[in-house]
Amino acid sequence: MRGGPAVLGIVLAGGEGKRLMPLTADRAKPAVPFGGAYRLVDFVLSNLVNGDIMRICVLTQYKSHSLDRHITTTWRMSNLLGNYVTPVPAQQRLGPRWFLGSADAIFQSLNLVYDEQPDYIVVFGADHVYRMDPRQMLRQHIDGGAGATVAGIRIPRSEASSFGIITPDTDGVSVERFLEKPADPPGLPDDPDHVYASMGNYIFTTKVLIDALHQDADDTKSVHDMGGSILPMLTELGQVQVYDFDQNHVPGETARDHGYWRDVGTLDAYYDAHMDLISVHPVFNLYNREWPLYTFTVQRPPAKFVAGGIASESMVAPGCIITGQVTQSVLSPGVVVEAGAVVQGSVLHDNVRIGQGAVVRRAILDKNTVVPPGATVGVNLERDRELYHASANGIIALGKGQRVL
């Protein structure tokens, strides 16, 4: 930030994303397309850049080619001002091993910290859909004198078993302990029916993080994870505070989409997040010009609707040609829906083609998938479960170029 403390952004983008298969069969999870135009990593990078954090390292590992290419072609900052967004692959700098966990990823990349010599380090995850102004969290971190601050979002206690839970002290800010997917955690002091779930977003005072990473690296019993190792260690030392995400406000937000955050780590969550986009008053609004979402857009002609083709309650990207009927769906660039075809409640990635008379319902089709004329996806759920990936809620998912039977 100009005239303020020196801040380095580190984005953790090395996860395999196994629960998002088949969308992650050939790409890193942060590179998975989202919302008809974006990649998942665009959300965290947009938040950091909009928040004046202009020096950002993206730590990658698994199947990172498309992610690296997207970052290097899209996220070009001003060299004149010394700003950058750079992918940093696992380099085996400390020996012949890959990253053992998110904490080890940063430990193996401490040369980046030594080069920049920041006052504070912002460590955010790469695969969540949300808007957030990180300056507000940084301000609390500095004013509170914390060694580490973790962002928490309030969720019902009944959902706590799916998240890492932050237990605040009686002051509501200091962190007493972390609980990993607890069955029955204590409620918040001011809201007994809710708990804080960790968003995977952290801010550290630089020396505190460096010391903790070195101590963790020497611990042979550690899992070398930021949330599972570093934060519990610092919590025991009384150095961690929680930042309530509900206190964060971004320009242009509405009462409806304030505080929206979704972990799209499963097919069902990924699908539901897309359905959040397409209502008249969306739960998450992509059209907020005051806090824009940035990405790389391929030059394509406008979407075309011909021969009675229609789309309702849907998002249709440039380059699409619609001759059939589309409802409650999100279409990425280059999708073709031929005459008589029906697409309902689905997410179609780049260059998907739906043949004449075909029917696609409650499905996610990755790029270059072709549904032959008269074929169906998501109509006969029992049959499709045997042929394709199916989520717990019955969403059918096909990988890149997968053949439809």
Side-chain angles (χ1 to χ4, degrees), residues 160-220:
S161 60
S162 299
F163 295 91
I165 300 302
I166 304 162
T167 303
D169 211 334
T170 53
D171 62 4
V173 177
S174 301
V175 175
E176 180 182 1
R177 57 177 174 163
F178 282 86
L179 300 172
E180 184 63 23
K181 299 181 179 180
D184 188 27
L188 296 172
D190 63 341
D191 190 357
D193 293 329
H194 287 77
V195 294
Y196 278 131
S198 172
M199 296 169 60
N201 288 358
Y202 317 106
I203 295 179
F204 297 92
T205 300
T206 299
K207 185 179 185 306
V208 171
L209 178 59
I210 291 175
D211 290 346
L213 289 173
H214 278 282
Q215 183 175 339
D216 178 72
D218 292 336
D219 184 358
T220 58

Side-chain angles (χ1 to χ4, degrees), residues 78-194:
S78 172
N79 291 328
L80 183 65
L81 300 177
N83 301 327
Y84 59 83
V85 177
T86 183
V88 181
Q91 302 175 71
Q92 298 189 353
R93 296 181 64 90
L94 301 179
R97 60 181 173 87
W98 300 114
F99 296 152
L100 302 178
S102 56
D104 184 57
I106 299 177
F107 180 69
Q108 290 199 44
S109 305
L110 279 178
N111 61 296
L112 306 170
V113 176
Y114 298 142
D115 288 345
E116 284 295 335
Q117 297 185 348
D119 300 310
Y120 302 98
I121 301 174
V122 174
V123 180
F124 278 20
D127 44 24
H128 303 134
V129 176
Y130 67 114
R131 277 189 175 91
M132 178 182 185
D133 185 349
R135 292 170 296 192
Q136 298 170 30
M137 182 176 172
L138 178 61
R139 190 174 303 120
Q140 176 185 305
H141 176 83
I142 296 173
D143 292 346
T149 299
V150 54
I153 185 169
R154 296 180 181 229
I155 64 170
R157 288 181 64 246
S158 59
E159 300 175 10
S161 60
S162 299
F163 295 91
I165 300 302
I166 304 162
T167 303
D169 211 334
T170 53
D171 62 4
V173 177
S174 301
V175 175
E176 180 182 1
R177 57 177 174 163
F178 282 86
L179 300 172
E180 184 63 23
K181 299 181 179 180
D184 188 27
L188 296 172
D190 63 341
D191 190 357
D193 293 329
H194 287 77

Side-chain angles (χ1 to χ4, degrees), residues 12-352:
L12 299 173
E16 289 185 83
K18 292 181 179 179
R19 296 181 300 163
L20 265 183
M21 290 289 288
L23 305 182
T24 51
D26 195 40
R27 60 166 78 90
K29 181 180 175 184
V32 170
F34 185 86
Y38 307 94
R39 305 286 188 121
L40 289 178
V41 73
D42 290 328
F43 292 87
V44 63
L45 293 178
S46 295
N47 287 327
L48 293 175
V49 169
N50 285 333
D52 292 332
I53 296 174
M54 299 289 192
R55 299 181 180 185
I56 305 170
C57 301
V58 183
L59 306 189
T60 67
Q61 183 162 230
Y62 297 102
K63 302 174 184 176
S64 62
H65 171 66
S66 62
L67 177 60
D68 293 341
R69 182 177 60 186
H70 176 72
I71 293 171
T72 54
T73 57
T74 303
W75 290 92
R76 296 183 176 182
M77 309 294 282
S78 172
N79 291 328
L80 183 65
L81 300 177
N83 301 327
Y84 59 83
V85 177
T86 183
V88 181
Q91 302 175 71
Q92 298 189 353
R93 296 181 64 90
L94 301 179
R97 60 181 173 87
W98 300 114
F99 296 152
L100 302 178
S102 56
D104 184 57
I106 299 177
F107 180 69
Q108 290 199 44
S109 305
L110 279 178
N111 61 296
L112 306 170
V113 176
Y114 298 142
D115 288 345
E116 284 295 335
Q117 297 185 348
D119 300 310
Y120 302 98
I121 301 174
V122 174
V123 180
F124 278 20
D127 44 24
H128 303 134
V129 176
Y130 67 114
R131 277 189 175 91
M132 178 182 185
D133 185 349
R135 292 170 296 192
Q136 298 170 30
M137 182 176 172
L138 178 61
R139 190 174 303 120
Q140 176 185 305
H141 176 83
I142 296 173
D143 292 346
T149 299
V150 54
I153 185 169
R154 296 180 181 229
I155 64 170
R157 288 181 64 246
S158 59
E159 300 175 10
S161 60
S162 299
F163 295 91
I165 300 302
I166 304 162
T167 303
D169 211 334
T170 53
D171 62 4
V173 177
S174 301
V175 175
E176 180 182 1
R177 57 177 174 163
F178 282 86
L179 300 172
E180 184 63 23
K181 299 181 179 180
D184 188 27
L188 296 172
D190 63 341
D191 190 357
D193 293 329
H194 287 77
V195 294
Y196 278 131
S198 172
M199 296 169 60
N201 288 358
Y202 317 106
I203 295 179
F204 297 92
T205 300
T206 299
K207 185 179 185 306
V208 171
L209 178 59
I210 291 175
D211 290 346
L213 289 173
H214 278 282
Q215 183 175 339
D216 178 72
D218 292 336
D219 184 358
T220 58
K221 297 181 180 180
S222 173
V223 294
H224 307 296
D225 181 75
M226 293 301 294
S229 306
I230 300 299
L231 268 297
M233 176 199 306
L234 294 177
T235 297
E236 291 182 4
L237 298 175
Q239 297 194 50
V240 183
Q241 293 184 355
V242 62
Y243 175 74
D244 186 350
F245 181 56
D246 189 57
Q247 298 176 6
N248 197 269
H249 296 275
V250 299
E253 70 179 16
T254 66
R256 183 165 173 78
D257 71 359
H258 167 74
Y260 181 94
W261 177 85
R262 191 180 284 274
D263 180 352
V264 290
T266 66
L267 288 175
D268 285 324
Y270 179 83
Y271 177 85
D272 290 343
H274 277 87
M275 297 301 105
D276 288 342
L277 302 176
I278 56 178
S279 62
V280 175
H281 302 291
V283 181
F284 185 72
N285 180 21
L286 292 178
Y287 301 91
N288 180 353
R289 294 186 179 184
E290 297 183 51
W291 195 269
L293 299 169
Y294 301 105
T295 193
F296 175 76
T297 303
V298 176
Q299 297 301 312
R300 292 178 183 260
K304 182 169 67 172
F305 301 80
V306 296
I310 61 172
S312 63
E313 299 178 60
S314 298
M315 300 174 65
V316 181
C320 293
I321 301 176
I322 310 299
T323 313
Q325 298 181 8
V326 177
T327 57
Q328 294 183 315
S329 297
V330 178
L331 277 55
S332 294
V335 170
V336 175
V337 181
E338 296 183 1
V342 175
V343 177
Q344 299 175 333
S346 295
V347 180
L348 310 185
H349 290 176
D350 291 32
N351 304 319
V352 167

